[in-house]
Amino acid sequence: MSNAYIVNTSKSKTSSLRPVSIDKVNLTGGYWAERFNVNRERSLRDLWELLNDPDAGHVAQNFRIAAGTEEGEFTGTHWQDAWLYKWIEAAAVVYKLTGDEWLKERLNESIELIRGAQEEDGYVATQTRARGNTRYEDPRIHEVYTMGHLLTAAAIHRRMTGENALYEIALRVADHLHAVLGSSVSPSFAHNPSAVMGLVELYRESGEQRYLDTAARIVDARGSKPAGKGRDLWHRENGVIGTDQIQDRTPLRESTEVVGHNVFFTYLYSGAADVLLETGDDTLWEPLDRLWSDLVYRKMNLNGGVSPMGHGVSPTAHDMLVEAVGKPYYLPHEDSYNETCGQIGNLMWNYRMLHAKPDGRFADMMEHEIYNGVLSGVDLKGENYWYRNQLRFHADRVPSGHNDLIARVKPGRRRICCPTNIVRTIAEWRSYLYSTDDQGVWVHHYASSTATVQVPGGEANVAVETEYPWDGSIRLRFEQAPEAEFRVVLRVPGWAQSATLTLNGKQVEPEAVTNGYIGVTRTWAEGDELELSLPMNVRLIEADPRAEHCRNQIAVMRGPILYCLESADLPSHVNFDDVLIPSDIQLVPESVEMPYGTKALVGTAYNWKSRNWSGELYREIGKTGFEEIPIRLIPYYAWANRGRESMSIWLPILVRVPAA
């Protein structure tokens, strides 16, 4: 059986790092072990029940209709099939790690559903077959997208189970895509380009060069036939082809700005990074790095949200956009969109960039996304989900039944992409903790865990103990090490300005390995212990003044965690919009009755009294007073778990000028 890799860069031409097989990493307690268990015991099983529910998920029903074993009509979104494929990916990983036979049985049932719906030439898409529609009439039908997720699921299923049933189905799908994309079907039909990652992963599994060639063809074709300007391009024939919505106006290598739909661009850039890793095509690195900077430094919300704009137009071509980035520094709060799948796409992109050229900024972004942009998309019980991740919410301004905007809801026909995406990401998170290279082992992310890693001289067994993300002490101990010199590399997050490192209790001066990473090289012995101490100071965050929505406001972070104010934590007489945060506020951590060891921050803020508004939009400022009030902030990922409450990440600041 092959190693149980999620992203297999072990033999990639230009990968600087190699992955660690997921079954070689064990979560031993703490934050991520709890998350994994809830994901396994609740989320994964709930989503299976829902996809089999003909009145809610409709997924299994659609496959049976497509196979001709059940009568009825296709129900749901064009991308409904992907629910099953991402569920298979998550279930295969959890099965590998736990041996849960219930999951194995469900995986076998799933494969039979897919087998029944697959056509003779390999094509499988229930959204067309169950409806009796013609193939490839409109890219927005998402045929290539759903098949792309099937390819990834099949590669991972084979690595986790050692079985070929789904893999053989996927090979036929990949052969079909190779045959049609670029000949009878425009490569832009992979407008939601999961197929690029899927084809590359299947190439890594099979060694079939044509799959990598097809992935590169999709990337290279972007921007080759831009649409005209000044027309209603969203509703024209073939919909989004040639438009900024799918990054199809400018060739990727010439692109200077991130544009369009959040999932489309994060999946495209993830796939392009995969192509770079496998082909060594360095002409892809510079544009990917340039686009990364444009997104992170000019267009990303503080919670990691990569689609601040729900609806709008691109600033140059005036293409209609949805769920998209906007112009630079357009970063709204209450109206922000920030689809959870986009944040997951950004995490996947950064992981591939990290393996191409190790740099702490990529791992920092992964960490920022997982805690603040991804986990915010599921409730603390693992039962209900966010599609959007807005930065501010006023409970009295949106009708209580308007679930698309504000309520965590069970995934149904309209909300099928994010839940299974979250479930697979949590299931796979341990695979992102460690990597190796010819010099030793890299530790990117911190969780209580053990890992068996390949280092010079043989295998080493390491154990990490930590209460991260609540505590900044990370202790790495060798339980076994070969008698050879090798290097241990640790990430120092960008927010940790005064980290210290000790070896067996004595402070050491580490090597500066690369941006954001430090290392120690020696011949290690059983019992040797490194301890990295990260300062967990509360940080008040401000935005570039060009981000007008954020002017004169601050946000709060501690360690990797972004905090928010929820109205449940205010005195009853205080209006949510009248809270001011003093610039010298002292906030201290406090345990709260929430899972995962969650800590709140408590301190003293101010209430701006007598500011009731009624029947006026503008008025002269009046003489009002301020009163001190207790305030408690909770992690942003934990909001909306205590009922319908107002919430904000950004809060007005009351500047106190220090005495001269």
Side-chain angles (χ1 to χ4, degrees):
M1 186 186 301
S2 61
N3 281 302
Y5 298 130
I6 302 302
V7 180
N8 186 5
T9 62
S10 61
K11 297 180 181 178
S12 302
K13 285 186 178 180
T14 56
S15 181
S16 298
L17 300 175
R18 294 185 289 271
V20 174
S21 184
I22 197 168
D23 60 333
K24 300 294 185 182
V25 181
N26 182 43
L27 299 175
T28 56
Y31 189 93
W32 280 105
E34 289 185 51
R35 281 282 185 184
F36 178 85
N37 289 336
V38 169
N39 194 50
R40 171 198 175 186
E41 295 163 8
R42 171 65 69 176
S43 304
L44 200 55
R45 289 176 180 256
D46 275 0
L47 291 174
W48 173 259
E49 297 301 325
L50 282 165
L51 73 86
N52 278 280
D53 187 338
D55 297 319
H58 314 286
V59 180
Q61 176 187 36
N62 289 338
F63 274 93
R64 287 191 290 268
I65 294 170
T69 59
E70 182 175 323
E71 294 184 356
E73 296 182 357
F74 178 94
T75 307
T77 67
H78 299 313
W79 49 94
Q80 205 82 353
D81 292 3
W83 179 335
L84 179 61
Y85 303 148
K86 284 181 280 187
W87 188 91
I88 288 173
E89 183 179 336
V93 169
V94 175
Y95 169 73
K96 176 69 173 178
L97 296 171
T98 65
D100 187 336
E101 285 298 322
W102 181 87
L103 289 174
K104 183 66 176 301
E105 293 171 6
R106 303 293 83 73
L107 286 167
N108 291 339
E109 289 178 30
S110 301
I111 293 168
E112 291 309 308
L113 284 174
I114 300 164
R115 192 194 313 278
Q118 187 170 36
E119 300 186 40
E120 288 187 6
D121 64 351
Y123 176 94
V124 53
T126 70
Q127 63 268 42
T128 55
R129 187 173 183 185
R131 289 168 168 153
N133 290 349
T134 304
R135 300 178 184 181
Y136 302 122
E137 286 191 315
D138 188 330
R140 292 169 296 181
I141 303 301
H142 281 75
E143 296 143 284
V144 181
Y145 165 75
T146 55
M147 285 187 275
H149 275 297
L150 170 55
L151 301 183
T152 300
I156 291 174
H157 177 269
R158 187 178 192 237
R159 293 169 192 161
M160 301 300 149
T161 67
E163 297 178 357
N164 288 330
L166 186 59
Y167 176 68
E168 291 169 354
I169 291 171
L171 292 177
R172 295 175 60 205
V173 171
D175 287 340
H176 166 77
L177 293 176
H178 171 71
V180 301
L181 291 177
S183 55
S184 59
V185 177
S186 166
S188 292
F189 266 74
H191 78 298
N192 191 343
S194 62
V196 183
M197 286 184 283
L199 285 160
V200 173
E201 215 58 58
L202 207 61
Y203 159 75
R204 289 166 173 159
E205 193 65 14
S206 68
E208 292 291 346
Q209 181 66 35
R210 62 184 180 275
Y211 302 154
L212 178 59
D213 293 343
T214 307
R217 186 187 307 159
I218 295 169
V219 172
D220 294 343
R222 281 295 169 89
S224 59
K225 295 181 180 180
K229 297 183 180 181
R231 295 157 54 198
D232 184 5
L233 295 166
W234 183 250
H235 296 293
R236 72 182 185 85
E237 185 181 0
N238 286 342
V240 294
I241 288 180
T243 74
D244 281 341
Q245 173 72 356
I246 68 167
Q247 305 78 49
D248 200 24
R249 280 197 173 276
T250 306
L252 190 150
R253 291 170 179 80
E254 300 172 17
S255 297
T256 59
E257 287 198 39
V258 179
V259 296
H261 191 281
N262 66 104
V263 177
F264 301 173
F265 74 73
T266 56
Y267 279 23
L268 175 64
Y269 302 157
S270 296
D274 271 332
V275 172
L276 162 65
L277 286 164
E278 296 307 318
T279 63
D281 183 355
D282 281 339
T283 65
L284 287 168
W285 175 261
E286 185 179 350
L288 288 173
D289 193 39
R290 179 171 64 239
L291 292 164
W292 187 95
S293 295
D294 179 56
L295 176 67
V296 174
Y297 300 141
R298 304 202 303 165
K299 296 178 178 176
M300 188 179 74
N301 276 128
L302 182 58
N303 65 337
V306 295
S307 52
M309 183 170 64
H311 296 83
V313 296
S314 59
T316 54
H318 305 296
D319 293 337
M320 295 183 68
L321 305 177
V322 297
E323 303 173 6
V325 293
K327 61 185 179 181
Y329 309 106
Y330 176 75
L331 300 169
H333 300 167
E334 190 161 21
D335 292 334
S336 58
Y337 199 82
N338 302 329
E339 179 191 349
T340 303
C341 284
Q343 281 81 264
I344 293 172
N346 195 27
L347 186 154
M348 295 191 295
W349 176 26
N350 276 271
Y351 180 71
R352 288 156 172 81
M353 297 288 278
L354 178 66
H355 270 226
K357 295 189 179 181
D359 190 315
R361 62 191 167 114
F362 302 129
D364 283 354
M365 184 51 56
M366 291 177 66
E367 178 178 79
H368 190 76
E369 287 290 20
I370 192 67
Y371 286 113
N372 306 305
V374 177
L375 294 180
S376 56
V378 59
D379 72 1
L380 297 177
K381 295 180 180 179
E383 297 176 345
N384 303 297
Y385 301 86
W386 272 115
Y387 189 81
R388 291 182 55 186
N389 293 273
Q390 60 206 96
L391 281 69
R392 178 174 292 149
F393 170 65
H394 287 88
D396 59 345
R397 294 185 189 172
V398 180
S400 60
H402 203 158
N403 289 333
D404 281 348
L405 295 180
I406 52 86
R408 280 201 170 95
V409 293
K410 292 283 188 183
R413 288 188 293 113
R414 300 190 60 197
R415 306 173 188 87
I416 60 92
C417 58
C418 297
T420 44
N421 223 355
I422 294 170
V423 168
R424 69 167 176 159
T425 303
I426 295 175
E428 296 167 354
W429 178 247
R430 71 181 72 191
S431 71
Y432 297 125
L433 301 182
Y434 303 90
S435 296
T436 62
D437 65 5
D438 290 339
Q439 284 73 50
V441 58
W442 292 60
V443 188
H444 305 298
H445 305 289
Y446 300 117
S448 290
S449 57
T450 59
T452 300
V453 293
Q454 193 70 36
V455 296
E459 283 188 342
N461 296 328
V462 299
V464 171
E465 296 179 0
T466 184
E467 294 181 13
Y468 200 81
W470 314 117
D471 185 90
S473 174
I474 297 106
R475 295 172 299 282
L476 184 150
R477 183 182 68 260
F478 278 94
E479 298 182 335
Q480 181 272 327
E483 293 184 7
E485 185 177 84
F486 62 90
R487 187 173 65 183
V488 177
V489 181
L490 304 173
R491 180 176 63 94
V492 178
W495 50 262
Q497 299 300 312
S498 56
T500 60
L501 187 68
T502 62
L503 172 61
N504 297 330
K506 296 181 179 180
Q507 189 163 336
V508 293
E509 191 65 32
E511 311 161 36
V513 177
T514 185
N515 293 338
Y517 284 91
I518 58 175
V520 175
T521 302
R522 59 179 269 141
T523 300
W524 300 86
E526 180 181 345
D528 279 349
E529 184 172 284
L530 278 174
E531 182 169 1
L532 178 65
S533 296
L534 304 174
M536 301 293 282
N537 304 324
V538 174
R539 309 186 311 281
L540 302 186
I541 308 298
E542 64 177 348
D544 186 306
R546 287 171 287 186
E548 294 184 358
H549 294 87
C550 308
R551 289 287 293 269
N552 302 318
Q553 298 174 83
I554 58 96
V556 177
M557 296 194 72
R558 180 177 181 268
I561 303 295
L562 175 65
Y563 282 79
C564 69
L565 174 65
E566 204 170 27
S567 54
D569 293 312
L570 290 174
S572 59
H573 72 282
V574 175
N575 185 337
F576 183 78
D577 291 317
D578 292 341
V579 176
L580 300 173
I581 304 298
S583 57
D584 58 356
I585 191 170
Q586 300 297 309
L587 292 165
V588 296
E590 175 185 82
S591 295
V592 291
E593 293 182 357
M594 292 180 177
Y596 317 119
T598 298
K599 291 187 182 297
L601 298 174
V602 296
T604 301
Y606 285 90
N607 175 33
W608 195 346
K609 298 191 296 183
S610 305
R611 295 186 69 235
N612 294 327
W613 289 80
S614 179
E616 296 175 291
L617 181 58
Y618 306 102
R619 72 183 183 197
E620 181 180 358
I621 190 170
K623 294 182 178 180
T624 58
F626 301 92
E627 66 170 334
E628 289 188 347
I629 57 170
I631 192 173
R632 181 169 76 167
L633 306 177
I634 62 170
Y636 170 66
Y637 73 67
W639 88 279
N641 279 269
R642 298 176 293 176
R644 188 181 173 84
E645 302 288 341
S646 296
M647 178 280 299
S648 186
I649 287 172
W650 290 99
L651 300 165
I653 186 169
L654 179 63
V655 178
R656 293 211 268 222
V657 180

